[in-house]
Amino acid sequence: MESDDRKTVLPADRPPGGGADLTALERGKGGLLPLHVLSGSELINRVLAMDSPEEYVQELSSEDLYWLVKKVGADDAGPLLQLASEDQWQYILDLELWGKDSLELEAADQWLARLQQADLRRLTRWLVSEGGQSLGYLYFFRRLEVLVKPPDEDLEVPDGFFTLDGIFYLRAPLEEAQQTVTAILHTLAANDFQKLQALLVTLGGVIPAELEEDMYRLRNVRLAEHGFLPYEEALAIYAPLDPRFLAKPDDAEAPALGLPDWVLEEEMLPVAPLYHAGAKGPLAEVVSHADDPVFLERMQMEFAGLCNQIVVADRMTSFELEDLIRVSRKGAGYIDIALERAASGDLEQARSLIERNTLAALFRAGFGEVLSLRWEAERWTKESWFAAEGLQPGFWGELWGGALSAMLEPRPRFFAGIDETEPVRDFQCLEEVESARRSLGLLKVLDRLLAGISEGFGLDRRLLRAGPATFEPILFNPFAYVCLGLEPSLEPLPVEQARAWLKRLGGGRSGGSAPMAAFEDLFVETMTKYAAGFSEADLQTLETALRTLWHEFEEEYGQVSPETLSSRYAPFIWIESAP
């Protein structure tokens, strides 16, 4: 197939710090305006200032125009809707008018009003043509009251009705729809009175449930061509794929994939999803170095379909530019995980993997990596000490507890940190998967240590039930007793002893005998003594966990004056309550 004749509209600018540096995408004709950079009014002005704005808009794929409209804002996108084709209108309405399996009339009121303001005559023709007739009939059936005045008979016409021929008296009772309905009817009467009469005569025979069901079926057929599969089919994207079943780069029996035969020469391929997939990772690298137009077009088409399948599988009902970016990053993230695992940083191997496997297969392989993390976390949780005590992941604190909770979600996510704009998000690279796995390893050894300490010192379970308990006191209370020259214990410290301990550590920098950091090794050594039966690898992991914990303790208590320490707020240690 010759791809040079295909009108693929490509991005002209790179969104700063966000979109992919898709150099290869920028070599084509036209340009997808930089949605991240420009405001809605600037985008409109850019389009209208073009030599052929109508040609530009209609050369956009329906997906790309949809996201351009969303960026501009539906109520301000009149110039774009005026320039768009009826097929592009249909795509927008297919996404915007349906809630599950029923037409949302309020949404229809809003979008038909926008189209009416953009191009009333064309909208009127479309609603009585084959393409929009079903929508027109169902909408007028729901929004229009019709009274028929037989010839030579008197008819008392209620207030609000008007007639265009002296026979049919019409009223749009809903105020939100009056202007749109009236404008369309008057325009239809002025341009094709016979079609108006045919519409009004036929409305009485409309069976709305059957018509709506047929419209919904056709809508699903149209959207399936863009990757919006039925929910049960879309879920297949989350069926994990063993990487062993991917076609290998050196597999001679797995030729490079091309565009499917059903993609027509004049088909406009969507750019926006791949453009917003992110600037880092193997996928972005392969795209930025792509020099084969057929390969690039295949990636555009597949990635857009993949993102739409994710939208359905995730039961997303919101469609804003931020949603596109989030789904695009999710799709690219799982693909990158699979490529990093299989290609080990080799760009040529990564490209070969993409050439010989569908992007959906790579996504599933990447998701399998993440899902295996959840399975590991679930297996451990079921046999862990903390779960046996009836405790929740929050027992491990904000950081480790947040990481564990994110791992245990039905579709695991990455805990990026409480200070991040999005603390919990989808995994974006293999290092994040390995980071979560390391966090799980730390929790495993800590859990074993806590089990041994609680059994050895006879932990009073009431301490775990009093308020939002966390694990730190089970480690720091015995350590505090040791620092004070007392027998280690899990009993809450008397407040004066707790203050003496913090002062000894140098808390508050108030003249303590030593800086806090000097006690890190002692803390690790003291706690490691209770790690009976640990392997050498587990002991190394435990040391990492303990040192991380000590640094958190320093950050929490380093500026706390010992005189202010009380049982009211002491997250790392149990202190006796004041009588």
Side-chain angles (χ1 to χ4, degrees), residues 10 27 38 88 103 108 116 146 148 162 197 220 227 237 274 280 295 318 328 333 341 373 375 392 403 448 477 534 571:
L10 307 167
R27 297 176 189 146
L38 300 179
Q88 290 171 322
L103 187 74
Q116 173 243 320
V146 180
V148 180
F162 66 92
Q197 288 183 320
N220 288 345
I237 200 63
L274 190 56
K280 299 178 180 179
F295 172 71
S318 169
S328 296
R341 178 66 77 192
L373 180 64
W375 290 338
Q392 300 300 315
R448 284 179 60 191
N477 270 66
F534 280 44

Side-chain angles (χ1 to χ4, degrees), residues 107-152:
D109 292 333
Q110 295 170 358
W111 277 98
L112 290 180
R114 291 164 185 147
L115 293 174
Q116 173 243 320
Q117 294 171 9
D119 195 331
L120 174 59
R121 293 187 64 181
R122 189 151 61 103
L123 173 64
T124 301
R125 290 197 303 270
W126 184 63
L127 288 175
V128 294
S129 69
E130 182 178 355
Q133 188 176 63
S134 295
L135 174 61
Y137 272 67
L138 183 60
Y139 183 72
F140 284 117
F141 181 85
R142 300 289 194 190
R143 289 294 189 244
L144 184 64
E145 293 181 359
V146 180
L147 294 178
V148 180
K149 178 181 178 298
D152 303 324

Side-chain angles (χ1 to χ4, degrees), residues 473-488:
I474 301 177
L475 301 176
F476 280 89
N477 270 66
F479 178 65
Y481 277 102
V482 169
C483 288
L484 293 170
L486 303 172
E487 284 295 317

